[in-house]
Amino acid sequence: MPDPISVLPPEVAWRCIYEALPRKGEIHHDWYPSALLQLATVSRPWEDLILSTSSFWVEVHVHNRAEDMLATLATFLALSRERELSLVIWTFPGDEWDHVRELLLPHAPRVRTLTILSDNETGAMFHGEPIHTLLLASSVIIKYLNLAPFLKELDFDRECWIDPPELESLTLPSQIKVKSCIRNAWNKNGSNHRSFEHFTDITIVGSFADIAPSLSSFTSLSTLSFVGSEDSIERSPRKSIIPAGPPHLKVIESGEKFYCPDLGRIITLTAAHLLSLDVMVTCPDIEEILGILPLLTTLQSLALSFYGRKKVSDTSSTVPRIVMSCLRTLFISGYISPAENRTSFDGLFAAFIVLYPNVTNVFLTLPIYNMGASYLQSLQRLESMVHYMSAPQGYSQLFLPTLQELAINDPEDLQFIKAPNLIKLRMHRLTSNEDLEPFLPCKLQSLEIRTSGEDATTLILPSTALYEVRRLSFELYPSDRWTLTPLPLLASIRFDYRHLAYPSGMNPQGNMLCVQLIYHPEMCPSLREIDFGEYVEWDLLFIMLKQRNLGRNDVSRIEKVFVPFVPFAFRQSLLDLLLGQERQDGPSNMILSLEETREVVCDPSMYVTLVCERHRFNEIKVQDA
């Protein structure tokens, strides 16, 4: 069989290898250089492709804990050829710093991005680390490597806290932009506005009125967010003098702060280049928002969250006459008073029919009636919809021929939504599947189910309606039961326990699945992958894999199994079974039994300290007793 890399087109083969490498922001991103070098040893075609593709080598790491750091650095600098570089410095290289500088100086004109990281066990993972020391470190590196004329971006790969007075003595070259998100408790009387001109992503702990007059000096700002809530939901009449908006602002997220005149002014001033808007609106402000939306000609994502105790005006809104063809994603959510009637938001959806005909993704947590249903049916390119409100009485039946993905809370909503081309369905709060079969689309390929947890649920999925389903995902409570039915094309089963607590660490549904597959492997002849989420009994797992993977030609081999941890003594035997090979010296069923493996899985001689912040590991220690 030929090497796949030698058969694929170079542009496809390159992408396959690139996706296998540790990416920026991942736990083991510092392994990038060694992972790339290891992949180059797979075969001669891999080596030729990797060595000849300069884009693999443009991310240059300086890490004093890496083996052969100087040799690796020299290799990356040579093989990247004349391409622009991204320099990643994890820690100062200590005694080798002069050698690093000697290697990097000739390539300084190619460096466009500088990322300063740290593998310090506490500082590197602290969310909201002060940025002052990082900026000082970057200033030293920029000067020492002569990067000032060439550098475009600084990155610290995490959110940082900023204290403006500390930045007054810092001077960065004017063209450098700091890409990391920074957070600041805005003090309108004590902040040096000039110190913010380099930052592209800022989160403000403060009010719009405090920061609005200064925004025009944020010349690099691309994303502006706010955190914290206002003291009152009443609309504030306060207005500030805002001469101009940030010239490059593309994203505004108001968080829990309500729409106000200052925010409206900022949106209007940046309308020509705004791509994403997320704002919380009191119901009486709907008319004003509708007056601003036609100005946002480049908007791609719009999120409106409504809240308010005052009644929505019954007067009809002025329907705009302009079409905004760029908008693709629409979020409409919030709290609606019981006093509101079903026509309260008709003006909003009537405007959307004209403004946003090309929306492909819709997220709704408001009940929709006449005009809302008309808007959804008018969308000719709708691909995905999340609707987390149960259908009220009198709900219009929706025919959505282009819809491919749907997420709903109440399975009864399926009788009101006709989506013949639906291929992915997520159902939350499922309590019974008795009436499910008539409404499941025949082309469904992926089904995700989360039970309500209120009462024990027994799932018997209709095999006739799910004939083409290929992926199943469950979030079940311990008292729930799933009875396997014939699913001829099912290739993957996944149990998700992220939101549930299983004190025993055992997956009862996974144990039952193993038993059913032992006696009836023909139920799922195409099954290749099972993610158990939690532990299953080892003897059941091994017996099931032996029955399935050894000597049967009428079912596919299960090639992937996911459990939290596999005892070392079982790993080779389990791998052999997944490869369809039988070991004569494999563990017996007695050794694999729950009682025998309890001490292996819960080995008190193994001490693991895991400190996870932003999905990273700080420390893993394994100590003998």
Side-chain angles (χ1 to χ4, degrees):
M1 180 178 179
D3 192 316
I5 294 299
S6 63
V7 176
L8 293 172
E11 60 274 14
V12 177
W14 172 88
R15 192 68 191 182
C16 291
I17 295 177
Y18 181 73
E19 292 296 332
L21 293 167
R23 307 294 293 276
K24 185 177 179 180
E26 292 182 351
I27 295 172
H28 302 302
H29 180 55
D30 56 329
W31 292 4
Y32 183 95
S34 58
L36 181 61
L37 293 171
Q38 288 175 5
L39 289 177
T41 65
V42 171
S43 67
R44 184 59 181 270
W46 286 57
E47 180 184 4
D48 292 342
L49 176 64
I50 292 174
L51 293 181
S52 62
T53 306
S54 58
S55 53
F56 279 129
W57 307 91
V58 296
E59 187 176 294
V60 181
H61 289 241
V62 177
H63 197 317
N64 63 359
R65 294 186 183 178
E67 295 183 4
D68 300 323
M69 181 187 68
L70 294 177
T72 302
L73 178 60
T75 301
F76 271 69
L77 292 173
L79 294 178
S80 59
R81 298 175 179 86
E82 300 302 318
R83 295 179 68 97
E84 295 182 350
L85 298 177
S86 175
L87 180 60
V88 182
I89 297 184
W90 288 82
T91 51
F92 282 97
D95 296 337
E96 295 183 320
W97 183 233
D98 289 338
H99 299 293
V100 170
R101 180 175 184 267
E102 184 180 349
L103 288 172
L104 286 174
L105 272 179
H107 302 274
R110 295 199 286 141
V111 178
R112 295 294 179 268
T113 301
L114 174 62
T115 302
I116 306 294
L117 300 173
S118 171
D119 52 7
N120 179 276
E121 292 182 352
T122 56
M125 308 305 165
F126 177 66
H127 189 63
E129 182 178 358
I131 199 174
H132 181 64
T133 55
L134 296 172
L135 284 171
L136 282 176
S138 62
S139 297
V140 172
I141 293 172
I142 291 171
K143 182 178 180 180
Y144 199 61
L145 297 178
N146 193 28
L147 301 178
F150 318 107
L151 198 63
K152 300 296 184 184
E153 295 180 1
L154 265 179
D155 190 6
F156 306 113
D157 198 31
R158 56 189 173 277
E159 184 180 81
C160 302
W161 183 266
I162 187 170
D163 187 4
E166 291 185 339
L167 301 180
E168 293 181 2
S169 60
L170 272 175
T171 302
L172 292 174
S174 59
Q175 81 279 5
I176 292 182
K177 296 181 179 180
V178 180
K179 305 297 286 187
S180 300
C181 176
I182 64 166
R183 182 175 294 212
N184 167 248
W186 185 259
N187 182 350
K188 63 178 179 178
N189 297 320
S191 296
N192 179 357
H193 304 158
R194 186 183 61 81
S195 62
F196 286 85
E197 65 183 8
H198 297 284
F199 299 106
T200 64
D201 189 342
I202 298 179
T203 297
I204 299 295
V205 184
S207 67
F208 290 112
D210 290 339
I211 190 177
S214 307
L215 283 175
S216 59
S217 64
F218 291 23
T219 53
S220 298
L221 187 63
S222 175
T223 299
L224 176 64
S225 306
F226 290 83
V227 295
S229 58
E230 302 286 4
D231 296 332
S232 171
I233 67 169
E234 299 299 326
R235 188 180 192 276
S236 173
R238 179 181 177 185
K239 256 186 177 179
S240 303
I241 300 175
I242 307 174
H248 302 293
L249 188 64
K250 291 180 170 56
V251 178
I252 297 177
E253 298 177 353
S254 70
E256 296 182 3
K257 296 186 180 298
F258 289 95
Y259 175 85
C260 64
D262 283 332
L263 177 58
R265 174 68 172 161
I266 294 170
I267 295 172
T268 303
L269 290 171
T270 58
H273 41 80
L274 206 61
L275 300 180
S276 178
L277 175 64
D278 184 344
V279 60
M280 198 168 188
V281 183
T282 55
C283 293
D285 288 326
I286 291 179
E287 285 291 325
E288 190 167 333
I289 286 291
L290 286 178
I292 293 177
L293 292 181
L295 304 176
L296 307 177
T297 56
T298 60
L299 201 65
Q300 298 177 11
S301 175
L302 173 64
L304 298 177
S305 300
F306 295 101
Y307 187 91
R309 297 186 179 92
K310 289 186 178 181
K311 194 175 188 299
V312 179
S313 174
D314 287 331
T315 58
S316 59
S317 302
T318 301
V319 177
R321 299 177 180 274
I322 187 171
V323 175
M324 302 295 180
S325 57
C326 294
L327 196 77
R328 292 294 182 269
T329 302
L330 180 64
F331 295 80
I332 305 293
S333 61
Y335 168 79
I336 300 300
S337 168
E340 301 296 343
N341 62 46
R342 64 181 59 189
T343 63
S344 294
F345 287 85
D346 277 2
L348 179 72
F349 286 109
F352 285 170
I353 289 177
V354 177
L355 282 171
Y356 305 128
N358 295 330
V359 167
T360 58
N361 307 291
V362 172
F363 182 100
L364 288 171
T365 59
L366 291 179
I368 59 171
Y369 295 93
N370 302 327
M371 195 57 68
S374 297
Y375 173 62
L376 291 177
Q377 290 205 145
S378 71
L379 297 175
Q380 301 298 312
R381 302 180 183 180
L382 184 62
E383 297 176 359
S384 69
M385 183 171 72
V386 176
H387 188 203
Y388 285 153
M389 289 296 294
S390 297
Q393 188 175 3
Y395 188 84
S396 300
Q397 189 175 82
L398 295 175
F399 179 65
L400 306 174
T402 62
L403 192 68
Q404 299 178 28
E405 298 185 20
L406 173 65
I408 54 176
N409 262 348
D410 193 341
E412 291 186 2
D413 288 359
L414 285 176
Q415 61 185 302
F416 302 104
I417 299 174
K418 300 296 182 183
N421 294 306
L422 195 69
I423 60 174
K424 183 176 182 179
L425 175 63
R426 298 198 307 266
M427 291 188 293
H428 294 190
R429 303 180 186 173
L430 183 68
T431 57
S432 173
N433 64 328
E434 294 178 357
D435 301 321
L436 204 57
E437 184 169 2
F439 307 111
L440 287 174
C442 60
K443 296 182 180 180
L444 198 66
Q445 296 184 17
S446 177
L447 177 61
E448 299 179 18
I449 293 176
R450 181 189 297 179
T451 55
S452 66
E454 298 173 358
D455 299 303
T457 303
T458 299
L459 294 175
I460 304 177
L461 300 178
S463 56
T464 53
L466 298 176
Y467 184 84
E468 293 195 19
V469 73
R470 287 164 170 78
R471 292 173 294 278
L472 278 179
S473 180
F474 297 102
E475 190 168 320
L476 306 176
Y477 286 80
S479 58
D480 297 330
R481 295 292 179 266
W482 168 44
T483 300
L484 190 64
T485 51
L487 299 170
L489 300 182
L490 183 66
S492 173
I493 298 175
R494 182 172 182 263
F495 295 94
D496 188 354
Y497 296 105
R498 288 176 297 174
H499 306 287
L500 306 176
Y502 274 58
S504 65
M506 188 67 67
N507 179 353
Q509 290 87 13
N511 286 334
M512 184 56 65
L513 173 62
C514 288
V515 172
Q516 294 179 93
L517 289 175
I518 288 172
Y519 289 100
H520 301 287
E522 72 282 354
M523 287 279 200
C524 302
S526 304
L527 188 62
R528 295 180 178 274
E529 178 179 316
I530 306 176
D531 184 347
F532 289 104
E534 295 286 352
Y535 290 104
V536 291
E537 296 186 28
W538 298 108
D539 52 352
L540 294 179
L541 176 60
F542 272 72
I543 293 172
M544 183 270 291
L545 291 176
K546 286 181 180 179
Q547 292 278 85
R548 177 99 183 182
N549 289 3
L550 303 179
R552 291 192 68 114
N553 297 321
D554 57 336
V555 295
S556 63
R557 174 164 48 88
I558 294 179
E559 301 169 338
K560 294 182 180 179
V561 168
F562 296 89
V563 290
F565 170 76
V566 179
F568 182 78
F570 300 165
R571 292 182 184 179
Q572 188 58 51
S573 297
L574 182 60
L575 177 61
D576 288 340
L577 284 176
L578 294 174
L579 294 174
Q581 303 169 2
E582 185 173 13
R583 286 174 64 92
Q584 299 299 324
D585 57 345
S588 66
N589 292 342
M590 179 62 69
I591 294 175
L592 292 167
S593 67
L594 183 62
E595 290 300 320
E596 289 292 326
T597 58
R598 190 184 305 277
E599 291 187 1
V600 177
V601 175
C602 306
D603 187 355
S605 67
M606 182 175 292
Y607 168 65
V608 178
T609 299
L610 178 63
V611 180
C612 183
E613 177 64 33
R614 296 176 69 188
H615 310 294
R616 297 185 178 199
F617 294 102
N618 277 359
E619 178 180 36
I620 295 181
K621 294 180 180 179
V622 179
Q623 299 178 352
D624 295 332

